[in-house]
Amino acid sequence: MHDVVVAHMAAQRMGTASTKTMGEVAGTGKNRGGRKAPGAPAPGRSSRLLWRGGGVVFGPKPRDFRKKVSRKTRQLALRKALSERLRAGDVIVVDELKLPSGKTKDFVSLLSALELKARP
C-alpha cells in the first residue's frame, strides 16, 4: 500500500525546475578583460560559473519523478484499501439500480433513500 501511495504522490510532482548551464546562458565567448590582465589569470568568458550572470554548476533540470509499481502490487493495494473500507462500514453494495427516468431529481431521491453521509 505504501509503495503505491508514494508512487502516486511522486507522479503528481511537476518536475519543471530548471536552471541554465554555462552553455545556455546568454553571453559571448569573448574574454572578459584582456589576455594579459595585470597580475591576474585570464578571466575567461562572461558565462563562466563564477561570474555574475553566469551559469549554474549542478542546477536542477526538468525531470520525471514517476515511480514504477508492478501490476500485482497495484491490484493488491486496491484490494487492501477496499477491504479496509468494507471492514470500516464505509461501503454500501447496491444489487440493482433502477431509475424511473433519467432525471436528476429521481437520482437525488434515490441517494437520499440510501442515507449516504459525506466522510469528514
Side-chain angles (χ1 to χ4, degrees):
M1 183 77 124
H2 180 264
D3 291 342
V4 175
V5 171
V6 167
H8 176 74
M9 296 302 286
Q12 301 303 306
R13 291 182 69 179
M14 290 296 284
T16 55
S18 183
T19 55
K20 291 186 175 170
T21 61
M22 189 173 137
E24 296 164 340
V25 170
T28 66
K30 181 175 181 278
N31 274 2
R32 268 184 135 145
R35 202 45 214 136
K36 294 182 171 183
R45 329 179 350 188
S46 60
S47 60
R48 286 280 305 275
L49 310 170
L50 55 100
W51 288 103
R52 181 183 163 276
V56 178
V57 185
F58 292 116
K61 285 290 177 193
R63 66 193 186 106
D64 189 8
F65 285 97
R66 278 184 284 199
K67 296 180 184 310
K68 179 83 172 121
V69 180
S70 69
R71 184 174 50 84
K72 285 188 176 181
T73 306
R74 278 196 313 264
Q75 288 174 347
L76 181 65
L78 178 64
R79 203 174 308 130
K80 185 174 170 81
L82 287 175
S83 62
E84 285 292 320
R85 295 290 298 267
L86 193 61
R87 205 171 294 129
D90 294 337
V91 178
I92 294 175
V93 179
V94 178
D95 290 332
E96 191 176 354
L97 188 66
K98 261 193 180 168
L99 292 173
S101 66
K103 292 197 158 286
T104 306
K105 191 190 301 184
D106 296 332
F107 187 70
V108 169
S109 65
L110 179 77
L111 287 181
S112 63
L114 290 174
E115 299 175 2
L116 299 175
K117 290 181 225 135
R119 238 181 135 179

